[in-house]
Amino acid sequence: MTAPQSIAELSRAIRAKERTAVEVVRTTLDRIEAIDPDLGCFHETYPERSLESAAETDRRIGRGESPGPLAGVPIAIKDNIVTGFGRTTCGSRILEHYESPYTATAVERLLDAGAIVIGKTRCDEFAMGSSGENSAFGPTRNPCDPSRVPGGSSSGSAAAVAAGLVPGALGSETGGSIRQPAALCGVVGVKPSYGRVSRWGLVAFGSSLDQVGPFGSCVHDAALLLGVMAGPDRRDSTSSPRDVPDYPGAIEEPVDGLRLGVPRQYLQDDNDPAVNDAVRSAVEVYRDLGAEIVEIDLPLTEYGIATYYVISAAEASANLARYDGVRYGRRAEPAPGEDLYDMYARSRAEGFGDEVQRRIMLGTYVLSAGYHEAFYHRALQVRRLISNEYDQAFEKCHALLGPTSPCTAFPLGQKSDPLQMYLCDLYTINTNIAGICGISIPCGHAEVNGAKLPIGLQIQCKAFDEVTMFRIARLYERTT
Amino acid sequence: MAERLSIDEVRQVATLARLRLSDEQLQLYRGQLSTILDHIAKLSEVDVEGVEPMAHPSDLTNRLDEDVVGESLPVETVLAMAPAIEAGFLAVPKVLPDQEQA
């Protein structure tokens, strides 16, 4: 692995004509071709289109035009965010040949800022998974140790940035799918507040939980990408009209009277001891910098997984009903005497993988007559209580610190039981349930059989307080 | 330990979810879904008396857009994605089933 060049530095060099965008894109494509077969980060790349866009960027710079803050920067896009070119498969057989007729708002804004979309990255099917093993097109491997998973579901995006294949990438989160792979791969990953980034063009999984977010090799790059993508969009009525602060310009500022909360439920004995050690050391770094550390009690933390798997599965069962073999996507070969129902049921059975089928079944069950009250309605009530618990915590501190993931990257094939896999998201899931923001930044390594496995520090802040979140993250990054 | 779901319940859920599964898959999901539901049953420990359900975290209400006609995707673009079309329409197998579906 090579030390990745930052987005800011790369774009500056291109605008200053120290490098051409075409050369940067060509180098990127060559590296992907050479290294990616062993990692499986990319589902497909767009060489022709990327080189054409890069040439156009160079021409604009030559003419003295403003090429945008991301001029010539290669960016990878998770394969569940649509682009009006190439395919968008969501890692699923049911969308294996799907070509979207339009481009997601988040991607459109990156393109408008001069970024080059270099390709689409592998993910767990429909973003359901925590290891990258649920893609219908093969797993992604962790660049730090290819026998291990990169985390998921934004597996390819996290691994591509960690391997230095691209300086930045987009992922999506429903319950930790950016922060958890960022932690396991040793990069920065951000889950923005619900409504901060338009969901237009993000293939829907859990609509009250989903957000698009960035990966970068440093806090500044993640802030830069979020700043470009964030803001209202009339095509997503849940996108917030709030102004977008200058995130990258704000990150070096101090937080006055910084108070950081450490929830007692986050440093459990069940965590990998190396994870707890690294997070405790990070807390001490902040204390040494003058932050006041306060203990916080979040007793509902342990109910997050149960709450999430009711709500997200319920929403998924409704959202994924659209894959019916009628308007787009895979249709099962017709058999004599089959009616419309048979076509639906066989197309969906053939097109969806096991994990997606399980969650559709779970969601169907918790929404069905007789169980709706006991499961779905109750989960929404617990969701309110979890959100209230966060509100109370943020009265006592600016941010909550803890591990992003209870464990480091695990070997491929190790977690075959679905529930064990779900428990990987214990510390990230409640951020989505409450709609607040969170970031994972690298905070050390665990040495396992000679491999250095990254550990992520999670910083959660209240909704739309990304500025504080980035400042606190940057403070640690600058110091260590 | 008794499974939380019977095989008939799993079959019924699969029918509602429009998934035609094999007997092996039904057996596999029965065990896995039962384990997951056992974990989800934890929710009954929480006192939710009088708590307003939270369907989403957004604080926005009634966002209205201007009532103007916008651009739509061309019909041919939309139809190009369909697995089967006939005379400019989406084509599907016969809609009325031979027997009542549950």
Side-chain angles (χ1 to χ4, degrees):
Chain A
M1 287 197 295
T2 53
Q5 191 177 25
S6 78
I7 292 174
E9 170 54 23
L10 186 58
S11 143
R12 187 206 59 76
I14 292 169
R15 276 175 289 156
K17 299 188 204 172
E18 291 164 22
R19 298 182 70 179
T20 66
V22 166
E23 180 254 312
V24 167
V25 166
R26 199 165 272 142
T27 309
T28 301
L29 289 166
D30 288 348
R31 273 179 59 74
I32 292 170
E33 204 180 309
I35 296 169
D36 200 48
D38 295 332
L39 295 175
C41 303
F42 282 87
H43 181 67
E44 65 182 19
T45 54
Y46 308 120
E48 215 168 291
R49 194 181 185 285
S50 301
L51 286 166
E52 272 170 28
S53 309
E56 176 59 23
T57 302
D58 289 331
R59 281 195 293 274
R60 290 182 64 182
I61 292 169
R63 289 196 298 262
E65 292 171 24
S66 168
L70 301 177
V73 175
I75 300 285
I77 309 292
K78 184 180 182 181
D79 198 17
N80 68 340
I81 303 172
V82 303
T83 48
F85 46 89
R87 289 173 297 180
T88 304
T89 73
C90 296
S92 183
R93 292 266 172 237
I94 212 158
L95 288 178
E96 189 168 358
H97 306 293
Y98 179 71
E99 294 179 15
S100 169
Y102 67 98
T103 299
T105 300
V107 176
E108 211 170 68
R109 290 183 181 174
L110 294 183
L111 291 170
D112 288 346
I116 312 275
V117 171
I118 204 88
K120 290 272 186 48
T121 56
R122 278 190 192 163
C123 58
D124 287 298
E125 187 176 359
F126 286 102
M128 296 175 184
S130 307
S131 72
E133 293 166 293
N134 285 343
S135 166
F137 309 110
T140 302
R141 292 169 181 277
N142 194 317
C144 306
D145 176 354
S147 72
R148 292 171 187 270
V149 303
S153 67
S154 311
S155 10
S157 287
V161 174
L165 296 178
V166 282
L170 294 197
S172 74
E173 273 226 14
T174 307
S177 281
I178 293 172
R179 288 165 290 158
Q180 186 256 13
L184 269 49
C185 290
V187 298
V188 176
V190 174
K191 200 298 269 188
S193 308
Y194 184 79
R196 183 71 295 184
V197 178
S198 168
R199 291 183 294 113
W200 174 258
L202 167 65
V203 176
F205 164 7
S207 299
S208 78
L209 303 154
D210 295 341
Q211 269 292 288
V212 173
F215 288 97
S217 60
C218 61
V219 174
H220 183 275
D221 284 353
L224 180 60
L225 291 177
L226 181 62
V228 169
M229 292 188 290
D233 176 14
R234 55 178 292 275
R235 293 170 297 187
D236 173 7
S237 64
T238 64
S239 66
S240 174
R242 285 177 181 79
D243 285 341
V244 180
D246 175 9
Y247 296 127
I251 65 171
E252 302 295 340
E253 301 290 314
V255 179
D256 288 336
L258 180 58
R259 278 191 315 282
L260 297 171
V262 180
R264 73 181 91 224
Q265 287 80 7
Y266 285 6
L267 289 165
Q268 292 178 21
D269 292 341
D270 291 347
N271 297 348
D272 183 327
V275 168
N276 283 346
D277 288 348
V279 170
R280 285 198 184 98
S281 302
V283 171
E284 290 315 308
V285 168
Y286 283 110
R287 199 195 301 274
D288 290 346
L289 288 164
E292 185 189 340
I293 307 297
V294 290
E295 191 175 71
I296 297 288
D297 196 25
L298 295 176
L300 292 173
T301 301
E302 62 169 313
Y303 296 96
I305 302 272
T307 306
Y308 175 84
Y309 277 94
V310 172
I311 296 171
S312 68
E315 294 185 8
S317 72
N319 274 324
L320 273 62
R322 73 190 64 181
Y323 305 103
D324 56 6
V326 174
R327 290 152 300 155
Y328 49 83
R330 183 192 178 100
R331 175 186 291 195
E333 284 297 319
E338 282 194 336
D339 62 24
L340 185 63
Y341 179 92
D342 297 316
M343 190 279 283
Y344 291 153
R346 280 209 303 119
S347 298
R348 291 162 60 80
E350 291 172 16
F352 291 135
D354 283 7
E355 183 58 30
V356 175
Q357 293 187 357
R358 259 192 301 275
R359 297 210 199 181
I360 290 173
M361 303 256 294
L362 181 61
T364 305
Y365 179 79
V366 300
L367 290 176
S368 63
Y371 299 103
H372 179 275
E373 282 291 315
F375 289 110
Y376 184 65
H377 189 80
R378 178 170 278 267
L380 293 184
Q381 290 176 306
V382 178
R383 179 182 203 173
R384 170 82 59 196
L385 294 173
I386 290 172
S387 179
N388 291 348
E389 209 170 79
Y390 272 121
D391 288 346
Q392 285 156 18
F394 289 127
E395 284 171 15
K396 299 182 189 118
C397 59
H398 292 99
L400 299 170
L401 302 183
T404 306
S405 162
C407 60
T408 54
F410 45 91
L412 270 88
Q414 190 195 60
K415 292 189 196 287
S416 53
D417 172 52
L419 184 60
Q420 287 311 309
M421 190 71 86
Y422 298 174
L423 295 172
C424 290
D425 300 330
L426 175 62
Y427 300 124
T428 48
I429 241 162
N430 286 348
T431 320
N432 302 69
I433 286 176
I436 62 174
C437 57
I439 187 171
S440 180
I441 59 172
C443 73
H445 295 88
E447 297 269 352
V448 182
N449 304 328
K452 287 179 87 177
L453 304 180
I455 295 168
L457 173 71
Q458 173 167 247
I459 303 162
Q460 295 174 92
C461 286
K462 61 187 178 207
F464 298 99
D465 200 7
E466 276 85 358
V467 166
T468 303
M469 177 189 81
F470 281 128
R471 284 176 177 165
I472 294 167
R474 176 62 190 144
L475 181 62
Y476 179 85
E477 183 184 63
R478 194 170 55 209
T479 311
T480 53
Chain B
M1 200 177 77
E3 302 276 20
R4 182 176 279 269
L5 296 174
S6 73
I7 199 72
D8 285 341
E9 284 175 302
V10 179
R11 188 175 286 119
Q12 169 67 4
V13 171
T15 303
L16 293 172
R18 306 293 188 262
L19 291 167
R20 178 143 305 155
L21 303 179
S22 66
D23 287 345
E24 295 79 48
Q25 281 174 306
L26 290 172
Q27 281 297 351
L28 178 71
Y29 294 161
R30 178 194 180 193
Q32 291 170 334
L33 290 171
S34 293
T35 307
I36 294 164
L37 286 169
D38 284 341
H39 179 82
I40 287 173
K42 268 176 83 77
L43 291 178
S44 63
E45 297 167 9
V46 183
D47 180 7
V48 294
E49 187 67 36
V51 176
E52 179 76 10
M54 178 174 167
H56 61 79
S58 178
D59 58 359
L60 303 170
T61 47
N62 296 342
R63 279 197 65 196
L64 301 177
D65 203 358
E66 280 173 55
D67 188 12
V68 288
V69 178
E71 241 180 280
S72 298
L73 292 172
V75 172
E76 52 273 23
T77 306
V78 174
L79 289 179
M81 297 186 283
I85 49 173
E86 244 176 73
F89 294 96
L90 299 165
V92 294
K94 62 181 169 175
V95 174
L96 294 173
D98 293 333
Q99 59 205 32
E100 270 312 299
Q101 288 295 340

